[in-house]
């Protein structure tokens, strides 16, 4: 509670800040379970849609006032315990000169086709390549009274866009490159890991209090392929962030068989989708990492009694163990009623 008359939200680090997200990430007990939603900014909020009628995606990403405003919209409306920076996983790739449009998914003018394309992936210099991202983070760090989560795409998921040139259900070309040319593949993922580390380090130095690495498409790989072809790069990322002392969250979709390997990469928290109940996920992950998740986002389209029942099932599966961040198992679906999300936040908070 703020003292009467206090108008300004204190920045993270001062006494009135809500740190339940950070505590849960570190496995500490919390008085109130923290909750936020992947893709909570944008998507289903009418105030976001109104802005989008006037501005393109990159116009918002590159304008710190607009990007900060969109980041704060769900904090105000939904009462979530964390903000996630409004940006996209392809922003650092565009910033090093890869031609990418969002239509709405990423589409590349010239997908990577051979090892010669590696020359197009130069290192990221955050202060000169993504100054608008860092200015957005600085603005938010001064305004928010909840932690700001910085983020990046993981090397495998970024590589899939570079090679496919857009979205793909099978990632056939990506996997073919991985199997056919291991030297090219290893170099590609290593360069992407360096870009991710540079971007996330800069976000934290600008004021982000936690980071999430999205490996959305990695669930298409077998454990053997993940270990051989992806783990070296994700391991490099989490090692490269360790000294910053902020919680590192690692998330992928359809990763039931990969959970142990995601933990082996070295994050503090593993995001779990709705397919694996949290008690089973914990059985695979062991005691050293926290868990985040994992209500099926589609449940939020159902009547409230179903939402409450399924949210209770998530809470029951975790059985009150410390080290749980409540979230959906993947991003908010665009057709979700924001009022349902608000009610869900209050429900998880026990209000
Ligand atoms: O959902 C995930 O899997 C998270 C990882 C991810 C992001 N962007 C993070 C993100 C992925 C896989 C992308 C690629 C991407 N970029 C897609 C998916 C395409 C596909 O292949 O299925 C799309 C549609 C975009 C473009 C994009 N990015 C839009 C239209 C928006 C605005 C909000 C929305 O979702 O409509 C974004 C913002 C964005 N992308 C955020 C994040 C973490 C910030 C918003 C938030 O998290 O609340």
């Amino acid at each position: 509670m703020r003292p009467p008359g206090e108008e300004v939200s204190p920045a993270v680090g001062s006494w009135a800040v809500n740190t339940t997200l950070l505590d849960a990430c570190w496995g500490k007990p919390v008085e109130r379970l923290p909750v936020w939603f992947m893709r909570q900014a944008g998507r289903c909020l009418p105030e976001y849609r109104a802005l989008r009628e006037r501005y393109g995606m990159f116009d918002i990403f590159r304008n710190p006032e607009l990007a900060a405003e969109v980041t704060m919209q769900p904090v105000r409306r939904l009462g979530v315990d964390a903000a996630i920076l409004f940006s996209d996983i392809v922003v650092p790739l565009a910033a090093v000169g890869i031609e990418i449009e969002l239509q709405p998914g990423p589409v590349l003018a010239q997908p990577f086709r051979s090892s010669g394309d590696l020359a197009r992936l130069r290192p990221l210099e955050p202060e000169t390549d993504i100054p608008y991202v860092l200015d957005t983070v600085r603005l938010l760090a001064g305004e928010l009274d909840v932690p700001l989560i910085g983020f990046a795409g993981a090397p495998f998921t970024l590589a899939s866009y570079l090679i496919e040139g857009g979205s793909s259900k099978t990632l056939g070309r990506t996997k073919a490159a991985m199997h056919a040319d291991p030297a090219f593949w290893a170099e590609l993922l290593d360069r992407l890991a360096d870009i991710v580390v540079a971007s996330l380090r800069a976000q934290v130095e600008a004021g982000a209090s936690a980071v999430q690495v999205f490996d959305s498409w990695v669930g298409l790989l077998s454990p053997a392929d993940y270990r051989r072809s992806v783990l070296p790069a994700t391991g490099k990322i989490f090692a490269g962030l360790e000294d910053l002392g902020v919680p590192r969250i690692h998330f992928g979709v359809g990763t039931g068989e990969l959970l142990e390997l995601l933990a082996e990469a070295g994050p503090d928290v593993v995001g779990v989708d709705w397919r694996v109940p949290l008690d089973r996920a914990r059985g695979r992950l062991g005691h050293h990492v926290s868990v985040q998740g994992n209500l099926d986002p589609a449940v939020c389209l159902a009547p409230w009694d179903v939402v409450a029942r399924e949210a209770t099932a998530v809470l029951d599966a975790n059985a009150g163990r410390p080290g749980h961040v409540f979230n959906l198992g993947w991003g908010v679906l665009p057709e979700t009623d924001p009022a349902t999300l608000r009610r869900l936040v209050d429900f998880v908070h026990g209000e």
Side-chain angles (χ1 to χ4, degrees), residues 141-163:
E143 294 259 341
L144 288 166
D145 53 12
V146 294
L148 175 68
I149 302 172
F151 76 91
F156 178 80
T157 292
L158 293 176
S160 80
Y161 286 110
L162 291 177
I163 295 172

Side-chain angles (χ1 to χ4, degrees), residues 9-319:
S9 299
V12 167
S14 68
W15 61 274
V17 165
N18 171 355
T19 60
T20 53
L21 173 92
L22 306 178
D23 292 338
C25 288
W26 294 128
K28 294 183 195 160
V30 283
E31 278 183 17
R32 210 170 74 159
L33 196 62
V35 47
W36 69 280
F37 303 118
M38 289 184 277
R39 312 301 290 266
Q40 66 189 15
R43 293 257 161 129
C44 75
L45 299 186
E47 53 272 42
Y48 166 76
R49 293 199 177 142
L51 260 184
R52 279 283 283 127
E53 283 178 14
R54 294 165 53 203
Y55 303 100
M57 296 296 307
F58 276 101
D59 299 332
I60 302 179
F61 297 154
R62 291 179 180 147
N63 179 322
E65 280 78 24
L66 289 177
E69 166 59 23
V70 177
T71 302
M72 289 190 290
Q73 285 173 348
V75 179
R76 291 191 204 112
R77 185 189 274 260
L78 307 177
V80 284
D81 298 291
I84 180 155
L85 176 70
F86 192 75
S87 186
D88 190 74
I89 61 169
V90 299
V91 165
L93 302 181
V96 298
I98 309 286
E99 218 180 301
I100 302 180
E101 283 182 21
L102 295 174
Q103 315 182 345
V107 177
L108 271 78
Q110 294 171 294
F112 281 29
R113 286 289 173 258
S114 72
S115 53
D117 288 315
L118 284 172
R120 292 160 57 198
L121 208 53
R122 67 162 173 83
L124 180 79
E125 290 168 30
E127 292 290 348
T128 47
D129 292 329
I130 48 168
Y132 43 88
V133 171
L134 306 183
D135 286 341
T136 305
V137 172
R138 287 183 196 108
L139 256 181
L140 286 163
E143 294 259 341
L144 288 166
D145 53 12
V146 294
L148 175 68
I149 302 172
F151 76 91
F156 178 80
T157 292
L158 293 176
S160 80
Y161 286 110
L162 291 177
I163 295 172
E164 306 289 338
S167 305
S168 157
K169 282 205 161 68
T170 58
L171 300 188
R173 278 179 183 269
T174 307
K175 291 193 202 179
M178 180 181 88
H179 292 300
D181 194 344
F184 158 74
W185 178 261
E187 176 68 18
L188 174 61
L189 263 67
D190 192 64
R191 286 190 192 210
L192 289 168
D194 289 342
I195 289 173
V196 168
V197 169
S199 170
L200 291 177
R201 289 192 71 88
Q203 290 178 48
V204 170
E205 280 155 15
S209 311
V211 293
Q212 176 153 327
V213 178
F214 285 95
D215 214 348
S216 303
W217 309 132
V218 81
L220 285 165
L221 292 182
S222 70
D225 284 341
Y226 184 93
R227 178 177 290 289
R228 183 171 48 236
S229 306
V230 176
L231 186 58
T234 44
K236 185 178 191 183
I237 291 171
F238 293 110
L241 302 171
E242 183 153 28
D243 64 301
L244 296 174
V246 301
R248 298 157 296 172
I249 310 169
H250 195 15
F251 169 78
V253 182
T255 53
E257 288 297 333
L258 300 178
L259 286 177
E260 296 91 331
L261 289 163
L262 296 189
E264 207 176 312
D268 306 295
V269 183
V270 173
V272 181
D273 84 6
W274 61 93
R275 294 169 179 88
V276 185
L278 289 183
D279 48 343
R280 296 188 56 164
R282 286 202 186 262
R284 295 177 185 182
L285 288 164
H287 302 295
H288 302 296
V289 292
S290 295
V291 292
Q292 175 173 278
N294 68 345
L295 183 68
D296 184 343
V299 164
C300 295
L301 306 179
W304 171 253
D305 56 325
V306 178
V307 182
R309 183 191 72 207
E310 295 303 312
T312 303
V314 170
L315 298 172
D316 287 350
N318 184 62

